[in-house]
Amino acid sequence: MRGTPLLGIALGGGGLRGAAHIGVLKVLEDHGITVDLIAGTSAGSMVGALYAAGLSPAKIAEIFLHLPANLFPPAVSPFNLILALIERFGLIVRGPRFQCISLPRGLLKTDFLRDFINHLTPDNSFDRLKIPAAFLATDLRSGREVIFAPEKARPYLLQSPDQQVFLSTESLGTAVAASSAIPGIFVPVRIGSLDLADGALKANVPVHLLEAWGARVILAVDLGFSVEAADVGNIIQVLLQASDIMGQTITELRLKMSRALVIRPQVGAMKLTDFDRIPSAIEKGILAATLALPEIKRAIREARTAGGEEAEDLSEGEK
């Protein structure tokens, strides 16, 4: 990182819509704009972790286009889940046959996602990232936000120890899995006494981490929410819809209160199985970032001028 960080980018959550982040990063690279800090939640932590580890947008796009179908294996069989629900609501009396049956803590596991990220980033220590990065999760026991980041970021990011937990020794895969664990959908990630779930419960677009870290220009990529178009035909869609609704107001308030430059790729609703729409999501990210380029470059030039630095020609003919 070059001295005082210039540009920080906050990548928001949004499931497979997170592929739009790849398009945003591609545009920045194509125009010679260097990212100094990364913060991410949920899908934003996945793309952010891969980019911070040194993978190019093209490589990350290739990974997303070939995501394994079993990225989120079931945590419990449908049969056992039905039996547990029936017993839980008193429709049957628990006997020896049902003693080992209980309601799961989530429908899907994140273990494969954790291992998948760690496999793609063999040197997956936060202290060895090419770009310093911080990812957000939530402790379901205490309600505190949990920050995964390099140890050297602790003095900046850990501002309220009674409301925050700082972790620097976990792997990137563990951080991504914890940040992505939507309550009710995914089994919480256990770390010591912490039960970690989706960082969107605290901040879906974690611009506050970049502000605390000292980024002079903050770019927030908000994937929005699909509450108007979402299908609610099954339990997973109901839980995802509820999560979106809860996060919408929090995100809007946080972004209004921040000094971030916000771009919003118009991806629309995407299910967890809409892998065929990933190319379109990437293109939406490219379009949104391209439209925002003049404003991004202007903000960078003004920050450099205010800091007494020489202005750089970010792309030919755009000074």
Side-chain angles (χ1 to χ4, degrees), residues 19 61 96 158 213 219 222 232 234 252 264 267:
L158 185 59
W213 216 342
L219 177 61
D222 177 18
V232 289
N234 60 55
E252 290 173 352
R264 295 183 168 91
V267 180

Side-chain angles (χ1 to χ4, degrees), residues 56-89:
S56 68
K59 179 61 178 176
I60 301 173
E62 180 183 343
I63 291 167
F64 265 66
L65 291 171
H66 297 91
L67 285 174
N70 63 334
L71 191 61
F72 302 113
V76 63
S77 73
F79 176 73
N80 280 354
L81 177 61
I82 291 171
L83 285 181
L85 286 169
I86 291 174
E87 190 277 334
R88 174 66 180 81
F89 290 101

Side-chain angles (χ1 to χ4, degrees), residues 222-303:
D222 177 18
L223 301 178
F225 300 89
S226 54
V227 294
E228 294 182 2
D231 186 4
V232 289
N234 60 55
I235 185 172
I236 290 182
Q237 290 166 348
V238 168
L239 290 170
L240 288 173
Q241 179 79 339
S243 177
D244 265 7
I245 292 171
M246 286 188 292
Q248 188 173 25
T249 301
I250 297 173
T251 297
E252 290 173 352
L253 288 174
R254 278 191 177 271
L255 292 179
K256 284 180 180 178
M257 293 171 59
S258 78
R259 55 182 173 83
L261 192 168
V262 183
I263 65 175
R264 295 183 168 91
Q266 300 301 304
V267 180
M270 284 181 71
K271 300 177 184 177
L272 288 176
T273 55
D274 283 344
F275 296 105
D276 59 315
R277 293 189 53 207
I278 286 175
S280 173
I282 295 174
E283 288 300 320
K284 295 292 186 181
I286 291 174
L287 176 60
T290 300
L291 292 174
L293 267 176
E295 192 172 355
I296 295 170
K297 292 177 179 179
R298 180 167 56 253
I300 291 174
R301 285 195 296 268
E302 290 174 355

Side-chain angles (χ1 to χ4, degrees), residues 33 38 90 133 143 146 158 224 289:
I33 298 174
I38 297 173
V146 178
L158 185 59

